Amino acid sequence: MLLRLPFVSIIFFGLISCQQSEKATPPNILFCIADDASFPHMSAYGNEWVNTPAFDKVAREGILFMNAYTPNAKCAPSRSCILTGRNSWQLEEAANHWPFFPAKFKTYVEALSENGYFTGYTGKGWGPGVAGTVDGAPRMLAGPEFQNHTLTPPTSNISGKDYSANFIDFLEQAPDEAPWCFWYGAHEPHRAYQYGSGAKLGAKNVAMIDEVPAMWPDTDTVRNDLLDYALELEYFDQHLSNMIAELDSRGQLENTIIVVTSDNGMPFPRVKSQEYEMSNHLPLAIMWPAGIKNPGRSVVDFVSFIDFAPTFIELAGIPWETTGMADSPGKSLTDIFNSEKEGRVTDTRDFVVFGKERHDVGRPDDAGYPIRGIVKGGYLYVRNYSPDLWPAGNPETGYLATDGGATKSEILRMRRDRSNEQYWQWNFGKRPAEELYQISEDPYCINNLIGLLETESTYADLKKQLADVLVAQEDPRVNGNGNVFETYMYSDDRSRNFYHRFMAGEEMNAGWVEPTDFEKDLITQ
């Protein structure tokens, strides 16, 4: 006998069927991260000396974020925050660079893998550091690696990994019925650079740069260094373009969320490994044709990198409490995806907090340079907990917290020949315990407003809000146990205890700086 259902019942069961179907097809995730690139160095932001058509496509067909920040402007700790959804002071050893990653903190990639996602990465995943093991096998914090394909890069300093071909390898191996999560971690634009390659290979000239940041000298040397950086950033974008085209050809673009960003600011003095505006403020565009309403928007809400993990876990349909991941103070970005608003979407996303502990070695006892800070309302407030230490590392050990390169060498030369010492002071000199900058007017953080009558209330408000957040998140640095970060061992034994070994005459390999970076004359302040 044929069962005849009322029309309303048919609609009801049809809705349930659609909901079940949607629930059964969570999005694929393509997470694309450059290695050392600052906001606003993508052409979607109006930059005219960096050309990034793939990033621009993601922004044009998705959302361009104007205020995305990493909680910690260094490779390993920034990536730890991304993968766990926690601020670095909540990650024990993983607050530091070159850590032993704590076994207790599961990553979103591991959680997705346990819940049906096919995962992998190419290029640079999490690191540098020691990821540890699970049941005797190496942990794969960003997924299994796909690194089989190589190519001849445009310069000898660009990686020979063929990121695009490795992504195709991954797609070929992905089961048809499973969603996937892939981490594209370029090694670019990390130093070293082939000096002059931007002008020679990138069809660029130094006149294209409209402004050299105020803390660096405006010389041809620095401008060429910026063009070399631009060339490598464009190389990252070219592989992104290939990956988008591959997804489109396979019919997978519609339900793939593509996130494009960087881990920390550009590898230049006073940026990478510091905690200023150019250090932590990063490019971000997100595209998801099936899931983002009113694409083509730009959004000014503040986004922290700890928001990524909650976003991915929610979109995968997995309750956070079932993942085995530690609690996250991050906020899923789905409220922005589901809104049609441009500009300000959510009033509560009006600030971000950030900080650091030990990045590179080079100080006595491998000491860190602890910082906490907050950005809100056009201001950046920074608390330096050890102002007696050198923020970029000791001069006699080469300022190891600043990668070697043409701009660094130019600034050091100017101090040594006494043609200009101010640039050295801004980039390498010691700093006060507190700093306050109106970044809406002073994005290079030159004019410290601490002590000025007109900014007293702003200073007090930011200082209190930062303290309240850190206390709520049980930051050891504000709870009287900040020294715990100094007890965590630097995992690379080649550079561990660098300062004392170098000063005792041992020949140390500091391949990320130039031999001329090491000061021969004693500098005390």
Side-chain angles (χ1 to χ4, degrees):
M1 174 178 165
L2 180 65
L3 179 64
R4 299 185 180 274
L5 296 174
F7 182 66
V8 172
S9 298
I10 294 173
I11 294 175
F12 174 74
F13 286 116
L15 286 172
I16 290 178
S17 176
C18 288
Q19 290 171 351
Q20 288 174 338
S21 175
E22 290 176 4
K23 202 169 184 179
T25 55
N28 303 315
I29 300 167
L30 175 58
F31 187 78
C32 311
I33 183 166
D35 198 355
D36 304 350
S38 289
F39 174 95
H41 298 154
M42 299 285 184
S43 44
Y45 292 115
N47 188 290
E48 295 185 356
W49 48 274
V50 180
N51 185 28
T52 53
F55 180 91
D56 299 355
K57 175 182 173 66
V58 173
R60 186 173 59 252
E61 300 182 18
I63 300 174
L64 180 66
F65 290 84
M66 306 303 291
N67 287 303
Y69 286 76
T70 177
N72 193 320
K74 190 70 170 181
C75 306
S78 178
R79 292 161 191 254
S80 296
C81 294
I82 292 168
L83 287 163
T84 63
R86 290 170 70 82
N87 285 309
S88 53
W89 48 85
Q90 299 178 297
L91 289 172
E92 299 177 359
E93 290 98 327
N96 291 336
H97 193 54
W98 275 100
F100 293 94
F101 195 90
K104 68 194 293 183
F105 296 119
K106 183 181 287 186
T107 71
Y108 77 80
V109 178
E110 291 173 314
L112 291 177
S113 178
E114 292 172 357
N115 284 271
Y117 267 74
F118 183 68
T119 62
Y121 83 95
T122 191
K124 181 176 178 178
W126 174 84
V130 176
T133 60
V134 174
D135 298 328
R139 283 186 74 181
M140 296 178 288
L141 302 182
E145 64 177 351
F146 287 76
Q147 312 280 28
N148 287 337
H149 295 279
T150 60
L151 48 65
T152 301
T155 78
S156 59
N157 295 114
I158 290 176
S159 172
K161 296 175 183 176
D162 190 339
Y163 309 124
S164 308
N166 290 328
F167 178 54
I168 293 174
D169 236 9
F170 170 83
L171 292 176
E172 291 291 334
Q173 295 183 39
D176 291 338
E177 68 281 2
W180 51 258
C181 173
F182 190 77
W183 175 293
Y184 161 37
H187 291 280
E188 295 75 33
H190 194 290
R191 291 190 185 269
Y193 303 150
Q194 182 177 309
Y195 184 77
S197 58
K200 182 179 180 181
L201 302 176
K204 301 178 185 297
N205 63 76
V206 295
M208 296 173 67
I209 297 173
D210 57 333
E211 181 182 17
V212 172
M215 66 278 199
W216 308 327
D218 188 352
T219 66
D220 280 356
T221 297
V222 173
R223 285 174 173 261
N224 271 300
D225 205 18
L226 288 168
L227 295 182
D228 298 344
Y229 157 80
L231 177 73
E232 294 214 1
L233 190 48
E234 292 174 357
Y235 185 78
F236 159 78
D237 190 76
Q238 290 164 14
H239 281 274
L240 171 62
S241 178
N242 295 342
M243 292 178 186
I244 293 173
E246 184 66 26
L247 289 175
D248 195 22
S249 71
R250 291 171 178 261
Q252 295 191 37
L253 191 59
E254 180 73 12
N255 197 36
T256 297
I257 179 169
I258 303 175
V259 178
V260 191
T261 188
S262 175
D263 56 353
N264 47 252
M266 60 199 302
F268 281 66
R270 211 169 186 260
V271 183
K272 179 184 177 182
S273 193
Q274 304 304 316
E275 303 295 321
Y276 290 121
E277 170 69 356
M278 287 187 70
S279 311
N280 296 70
H281 192 179
L282 302 178
L284 175 64
I286 301 179
M287 170 184 173
W288 180 22
I292 287 179
K293 294 183 178 179
N294 190 24
R297 293 178 282 148
S298 64
V299 168
V300 301
D301 295 51
F302 281 81
V303 171
S304 172
F305 278 15
I306 61 173
D307 298 336
F308 293 141
T311 302
F312 299 149
I313 293 298
E314 179 184 342
L315 293 178
I318 309 167
W320 187 274
E321 59 273 15
T322 69
T323 63
M325 298 178 68
D327 290 343
S328 168
K331 305 173 187 175
S332 170
L333 299 173
T334 53
D335 58 334
I336 295 177
F337 297 168
N338 293 330
S339 171
E340 296 190 353
K341 291 183 181 179
E342 185 152 2
R344 173 73 62 191
V345 175
T346 306
D347 290 340
T348 56
R349 294 184 186 269
D350 63 345
F351 75 97
V352 287
V353 291
F354 55 88
K356 63 177 276 191
E357 288 295 331
R358 182 182 62 231
H359 283 176
D360 291 294
V361 290
R363 302 182 190 90
D365 303 316
D366 288 344
Y369 191 85
I371 295 175
R372 298 293 184 271
I374 184 171
V375 173
K376 183 178 182 180
Y379 286 86
L380 179 148
Y381 167 73
V382 164
R383 170 75 190 279
N384 300 312
Y385 287 89
S386 299
D388 55 317
L389 300 181
W390 294 100
N394 279 48
E396 59 270 34
T397 50
Y399 312 97
L400 293 183
T402 299
D403 294 351
T407 299
K408 180 181 181 181
S409 295
E410 183 85 333
I411 293 169
L412 296 183
R413 178 192 63 77
M414 286 182 162
R415 189 202 68 83
R416 292 165 187 164
D417 67 16
R418 300 187 182 279
S419 59
N420 189 303
E421 296 188 19
Q422 180 60 67
Y423 293 116
W424 179 90
Q425 189 61 51
W426 279 328
N427 290 279
F428 303 109
K430 292 183 179 180
R431 297 170 186 162
E434 295 180 290
E435 301 174 74
L436 177 68
Y437 301 99
Q438 188 177 1
I439 55 175
S440 57
E441 304 294 328
D442 180 21
Y444 305 126
C445 299
I446 298 296
N447 301 307
N448 189 1
L449 304 177
I450 290 290
L452 297 184
L453 183 63
E454 57 266 34
T455 57
E456 274 188 357
S457 61
T458 298
Y459 160 68
D461 290 346
L462 292 177
K463 184 174 183 177
K464 182 181 185 304
Q465 184 168 7
L466 175 63
D468 289 346
V469 170
L470 297 178
V471 168
Q473 294 182 8
E474 300 181 341
D475 180 0
R477 183 59 64 183
V478 299
N479 287 347
N481 192 32
N483 190 58
V484 68
F485 295 110
E486 307 294 345
T487 68
Y488 298 136
M489 185 180 294
Y490 192 78
S491 68
D492 184 9
D493 57 9
R494 298 168 299 177
S495 298
R496 189 183 305 139
N497 199 23
F498 188 101
Y499 181 89
H500 294 293
R501 292 164 64 185
F502 177 82
M503 297 302 287
E506 183 177 344
E507 186 174 339
M508 301 293 291
N509 178 20
W512 65 98
V513 297
E514 301 292 338
T516 54
D517 292 351
F518 293 75
E519 299 287 3
K520 296 179 180 179
D521 299 326
L522 180 64
I523 301 175
T524 58
Q525 61 181 10

